[in-house]
Amino acid sequence: MKRCILLFSGGLDSVIAAHLLIKQNIEVIGLHFVLPFNANIGKTFKPLIDSAKLLDIQLVIHEEKEDFLEIVKKPKFGFGKNINPCIDCRIFRLKQAHKYMLEQNASFIATGEVVGQRPMSQHKRGLGIILQESGLSELLLRPLSAKLLEPTIAEKNNWVNREDFLAIEGRTRKIQLEYAKKHNLQYESPAGGCILTAKEIVPKYQDLVKHIPEYTLPDFKCLAYGRHFRLSPAFRLIIGRDQAENNYLEKLEIKSDYRIEMANITGPIGIGKGTPTAQDIQLACDLIARYSSDRKKLKTNVKVIKDGLEKIWDSTPVSPQIAEKLRMQ
Ligand code: SF4
């Protein structure tokens, strides 16, 4: 039995790709890549794990780290609509999958990609670039569009029968939905999607690049959480919107950061980045107070922690209008 590494998102297309391969007696290892936002935050991946269990395939979850930042900082093939470097991201993931294929003694790689489905990485030219740059050549099989593409090693060696794959092209999911229904397949809904494709992240990212061009992984991860404020050219503040975000921000705090929180009541966590003036710190305290249950009080106290030292500041919560003005939109 031949073994293959399938890039597995748990979504409709990769579940169908797995099913098409299993039907042809291929042992499938699902390799799931996660953008570098999820480490140590308690995400369970339950739907993904359930999906792999139902298909009876092995699942490996790999979270991207610092090396992914290089792609975002300088994508060779540019960004999509927002800050999504899709072509570079696909190439990067396929190269990682190739390494894993060799380690696992697998014979080829597969993906659930469909020709012409996504504007950037899955038009035919995009698929060609990805194939060439990843160095995979004929090792890469795309079962959902296989009959529209050149035969791959798996097909040429008769490890699989090309005629049993599909010839799907374009953005409509009609054929995939019919296939899933017919074979009673379960898959994750695409809700949420890739955070780098969200337009809300763009101003936060542009601000990060402008003020901290050599940003680190924790700086980058913070883009996924909280409200972001630019208080001055030297200081940015991120405030958690709920308990879960407070917990994430606490975990992402680095040595150079300022932690700002309510002194006497439970409230939001603020992480300050940069080299603030006293005026910046005062404004940060007044913003934290604005998002606490003391928001209607004239006076309250806020704690600022830096390098293990705590200082209590008197604070007057800012108005909602000022908060909105400072917020990156
Ligand atoms: S949508 Fe996000 S995860 Fe998917 S290829 Fe593009 S950048 Fe990578």
Side-chain angles (χ1 to χ4, degrees), residues 113-125:
E113 287 164 305
V114 168
V115 172
Q117 186 178 77
R118 299 218 179 127
M120 190 176 181
S121 63
Q122 294 187 20
H123 54 70
K124 211 165 183 176
R125 192 179 141 263

Side-chain angles (χ1 to χ4, degrees), residues 35 84-86 89-90 93 118 194 196-197:
L35 287 170
N84 45 312
C86 289
C89 176
R90 300 295 298 174
R93 289 178 169 185
R118 299 218 179 127
C194 167
L196 303 179
T197 63

Side-chain angles (χ1 to χ4, degrees), residues 139-189:
L139 279 175
L140 181 60
L141 174 69
R142 286 128 165 170
L144 277 74
S145 293
K147 290 204 272 188
L148 301 172
L149 299 165
E150 292 297 315
T152 64
I153 283 176
E155 293 151 294
K156 286 181 178 173
N157 287 336
N158 294 321
W159 301 334
V160 291
N161 180 4
R162 179 179 172 81
E163 291 314 307
D164 289 339
F165 290 134
L166 307 177
I168 306 177
E169 185 169 14
R171 305 185 75 152
T172 163
R173 295 261 162 122
K174 191 166 172 274
I175 301 173
Q176 289 98 310
L177 290 168
E178 282 169 6
Y179 185 98
K181 196 171 171 199
K182 182 175 169 195
H183 297 281
N184 201 19
L185 298 180
Q186 290 190 28
Y187 51 91
E188 269 194 81
S189 78

Side-chain angles (χ1 to χ4, degrees), residues 6-21:
L6 169 69
L7 268 56
F8 187 72
S9 69
L12 178 61
D13 293 341
S14 64
V15 165
I16 292 176
H19 190 258
L20 286 164
L21 289 161

Side-chain angles (χ1 to χ4, degrees), residues 33-144:
F33 287 101
V34 187
L35 287 170
F37 298 106
N38 297 286
N40 306 318
I41 60 168
K43 192 168 177 349
T44 63
F45 301 105
K46 188 174 181 310
L48 177 79
I49 293 166
D50 288 348
S51 172
K53 270 191 192 150
L54 279 171
L55 288 161
D56 198 18
I57 62 171
Q58 190 188 327
L59 175 68
V60 177
I61 298 176
H62 175 85
E63 178 166 317
E64 283 144 346
K65 298 201 167 56
E66 271 83 3
D67 41 5
F68 189 83
L69 285 193
E70 297 315 309
I71 291 174
V72 184
K73 285 180 180 174
K74 280 189 201 148
K76 183 172 172 188
F77 297 98
F79 290 111
K81 210 170 168 196
N82 293 304
I83 59 159
N84 45 312
C86 289
I87 292 184
D88 293 81
C89 176
R90 300 295 298 174
I91 294 166
F92 178 75
R93 289 178 169 185
L94 285 172
K95 283 182 175 170
Q96 309 255 67
H98 191 196
K99 270 193 218 158
Y100 192 64
M101 182 196 100
L102 298 174
E103 278 169 32
Q104 292 299 312
N105 212 11
S107 302
F108 64 101
I109 294 170
T111 71
E113 287 164 305
V114 168
V115 172
Q117 186 178 77
R118 299 218 179 127
M120 190 176 181
S121 63
Q122 294 187 20
H123 54 70
K124 211 165 183 176
R125 192 179 141 263
L127 293 183
I129 292 171
I130 291 166
L131 194 58
Q132 191 181 348
E133 292 277 328
S134 63
L136 290 186
S137 184
E138 296 182 345
L139 279 175
L140 181 60
L141 174 69
R142 286 128 165 170
L144 277 74

